[in-house]
Amino acid sequence: MSIRPPCKLTSRPSWIALEEHCASIREQHLRSLFCAEPQRGSQYTVEAAGLYLDYSKNRIDRQTVPLLARLASDCQLRERTDAMFRGDLVNCTERRPALHTALRTPLGHRIVVDGVDVVPDVHAVLGRMAIFSDQVRRGGWTGHTGRPIRNVINIGIGGSDLGPAMAHEALRHYSERALSIRFVSNVDGTDLVEALREIDAVETLFIICSKSFNTSETLANARSARAWIVQQLGDEAAVARHFVAVSVNAGAVTEFGIAMPQMFPLWDWVGGRNSIASAIGLSVMVAIGSPNFLQMLAGMRAMDVHFRSAPIEQNMPALLGMLAIWNTNFLGSAAQAVLPYEQYLRRFPAYLQQLTMESNGKNVTTEGLPVGVATSPIIWGEPGTNGQHSFFQLLHQGTHLVPCDFIGFAQGLNSLGHSSGQADGQHDFLIANMFLQAEAMAFGRTLEELRFEGLNDCAAAHRVLEGNRSSNTLLGNVLTPHSLGVLIALFEHSVFTQVVWDIDSFDQWGVELGKELAQGLFLELRSPSDRDAVHDSSTQALIQRYRSLRRTCAEAAIDSGPS
Ligand code: F6P
């Protein structure tokens, strides 16, 4: 079935039915919803690819999910999903496919882009990555002086950093500890300078990750790294052994001084925030080895298959995506907290920020018309239990509704006892906290319960937890490359489910402007220019003050003589 021309979302009967439904249940507390359906905790659940989702602590009842499923169906979620997997131009403003799912598609399946089956190409690159990463891990890839590599530094930003940095951190337990893998992204010199501390250039390899090979921050850091290598090793020829590139832009890579055998390609149909399964993940493959990297792809594939085949009401990504729409557009929440109770996933919230907000932080539909409703929630979060000693006060007693996604695993990867003397007791304590925090958010603690404990009304009032705060809990068995892949694909597809808003989830015009303006202003900062008047009075005053401070610093440096 072809994709029908969109119609105004809020005039859809399925949308109106949800509005009416929300009006009928929004005042019901989770305490009463659980009283009405005492077993919902084991019924509002879905299992897929080894993951268990408990979505019972959302402010919903038996009718809500079927109504959300009807809206998704009305918005042709199934057809749009098939179109994405098939390689249609779903990134409509850039007229490109969004085929990150092709990166984990097994050989033998055909996915044709511009008349070419891309699956063999994907596997050819994976094969080159495997050979190279194995060479680095075994000392077969040597630097300019013949020494093996011990330090790998990934230079990239956005999806060329957040994905690999998150996955490297998440899979540190599976990494070759003799290799030091570092990530540099910020154009602030501190990022690269700190990464270069206490390492020897002769055993350092840089992976320049940039799909476009035209991102200012990445090129600035790449050039500085290049200068460092040449200065340290005293020979321009050293670049050839200490740099590889991941990009679609062979011309720019060659111009930088990296030869084609050291370039690992990706394709225009892979978006930056969906690129971890491509050669953008090379640093991760070096860290964990090719078999583990392929296991991560297998986990992604398992969730892909579930997403494509499960009915919406049993479809984990679709449920997460539609429940976020319920919380955002019907209950009125603006933010969403991602709370991994797994320390190795500490960079997962940062990764999800780009995946979600760069995808769905839009305000016009594919037709260029105002969406007319709120779109992407504001994604933030920190690992548990740390968040409990930071922002959980707001989550429990603040005035905002902030739905939470709890993520945990039954097995910990670093077993420590506990004051109770139980083996692996600290992991039990971690997960106990995750469960009880979700319970407290849902059911709170009432004034009556506190009075019963003998507190006067004023003291009790400060201790009341309203509850009725929504959350999902995702529980896996253990964090492995496979289960990380499942999680990544789960959130990729839950973000895609919000195509219900009829936005283009795959472009990012909002950040292109910043790239252009930064280039211009950078040139003006050092000295007065006739362009000063172009800026508003605030920016002009800031530029003047910056120039003055820089002059003062420069004069002070001259007065004090060479350091
Ligand atoms: O943030 C804008 C963006 O284009 C992201 O989508 C992308 O991941 C990042 O910049 C880096 O782009 P590149 O990989 O081309 O350097």
Side-chain angles (χ1 to χ4, degrees), residues 423-500:
D424 206 11
Q426 282 192 214
H427 187 71
D428 292 346
F429 187 69
L430 172 74
I431 300 304
N433 271 277
M434 181 173 85
F435 293 158
L436 72 86
Q437 289 297 331
E439 186 178 49
M441 282 179 193
F443 309 112
R445 190 164 56 168
T446 64
L447 193 59
E448 289 68 30
E449 287 162 349
L450 288 157
R451 281 184 183 138
F452 185 74
E453 290 175 17
L455 289 174
N456 65 46
D457 277 7
C458 178
H462 290 282
R463 292 165 174 77
V464 166
L465 297 184
E466 283 171 359
N468 213 27
R469 284 139 197 246
S470 314
S471 71
N472 294 307
T473 298
L474 285 161
L475 186 63
N477 180 38
V478 59
L479 179 58
T480 63
H482 191 277
S483 58
L484 178 68
V486 169
L487 268 179
I488 291 170
L490 167 62
F491 283 96
E492 281 183 337
H493 298 320
S494 73
V495 166
F496 177 74
T497 297
Q498 292 161 0
V499 74
V500 162

Side-chain angles (χ1 to χ4, degrees), residues 99 103 132 257 270 313 322 342 352 376 378 387 429 476 493 555:
L99 268 173
L103 300 171
F132 179 74
V270 179
E313 296 183 34
M322 293 309 290
E342 166 54 72
L352 286 188
S376 174
I378 299 159
F429 187 69
H493 298 320
E555 286 153 10

Side-chain angles (χ1 to χ4, degrees), residues 351-366:
Y351 166 75
L352 286 188
Q353 285 182 326
Q354 187 202 16
L355 179 63
T356 310
M357 296 195 278
E358 194 167 82
S359 294
N360 293 347
K362 313 283 170 68
N363 61 31
V364 295
T365 66
T366 53

Side-chain angles (χ1 to χ4, degrees), residues 214-416:
N214 183 34
T215 302
S216 307
E217 299 94 328
T218 300
L219 293 181
N221 277 319
R223 292 182 186 119
S224 297
R226 191 182 190 287
W228 180 73
I229 283 288
V230 173
Q231 183 268 326
Q232 293 283 315
L233 302 184
D235 187 344
E236 282 277 346
V239 172
R241 300 299 296 176
H242 293 271
F243 285 82
V244 298
V246 179
S247 186
V248 301
N249 190 342
V253 168
T254 305
E255 192 181 333
F256 180 85
I258 298 172
M260 284 302 100
Q262 277 71 54
M263 186 186 103
F264 297 86
L266 66 159
W267 302 270
D268 262 348
W269 41 259
V270 179
R273 50 194 174 271
N274 294 104
S275 62
I276 179 61
S278 74
I280 293 288
L282 181 60
S283 57
V284 180
M285 188 185 280
V286 169
I288 65 175
S290 168
N292 277 326
F293 192 87
L294 295 178
Q295 272 300 302
M296 183 178 76
L297 300 193
M300 298 172 101
R301 174 72 181 175
M303 184 50 75
D304 290 349
V305 170
H306 167 75
F307 180 51
R308 280 202 89 176
S309 56
I312 290 178
E313 296 183 34
Q314 293 301 317
N315 191 304
M316 197 178 282
L319 279 168
L320 280 184
M322 293 309 290
L323 286 166
I325 286 179
W326 171 255
N327 289 325
T328 304
N329 295 127
F330 296 93
L331 295 182
S333 63
Q336 183 174 331
V338 178
L339 308 168
Y341 275 66
E342 166 54 72
Q343 182 64 16
Y344 283 128
L345 286 181
R346 67 191 181 88
R347 293 297 292 155
F348 201 65
Y351 166 75
L352 286 188
Q353 285 182 326
Q354 187 202 16
L355 179 63
T356 310
M357 296 195 278
E358 194 167 82
S359 294
N360 293 347
K362 313 283 170 68
N363 61 31
V364 295
T365 66
T366 53
E367 307 278 298
L369 302 172
V371 177
V373 297
T375 53
S376 174
I378 299 159
I379 304 294
W380 61 288
E382 283 290 327
T385 59
N386 298 39
Q388 296 170 206
H389 303 271
S390 166
F391 48 78
F392 271 52
Q393 167 59 39
L394 178 139
L395 295 178
H396 284 298
Q397 289 188 322
T399 57
H400 302 284
L401 171 61
V402 182
C404 296
D405 285 342
F406 290 94
I407 305 170
F409 296 88
Q411 320 297 331
L413 289 169
N414 295 293
S415 178
L416 284 180

Side-chain angles (χ1 to χ4, degrees), residues 151 153 180 182 184 189-201 204 228:
N151 314 302
I153 299 182
S180 160
R182 303 176 186 200
V184 170
T190 296
D191 208 3
L192 180 60
V193 165
E194 288 297 336
L196 296 179
R197 280 195 194 288
E198 291 121 35
I199 60 174
D200 188 339
T204 299
W228 180 73

Side-chain angles (χ1 to χ4, degrees), residues 156-161 209-216 218 246 271-273 275 280 354 358 508 511-512 515:
I157 198 164
S160 298
D161 164 72
C209 261
S210 178
K211 181 180 166 186
S212 62
F213 224 82
N214 183 34
T215 302
S216 307
T218 300
V246 179
R273 50 194 174 271
S275 62
I280 293 288
Q354 187 202 16
E358 194 167 82
Q508 55 283 322
V511 293
E512 303 307 333
K515 291 182 178 181

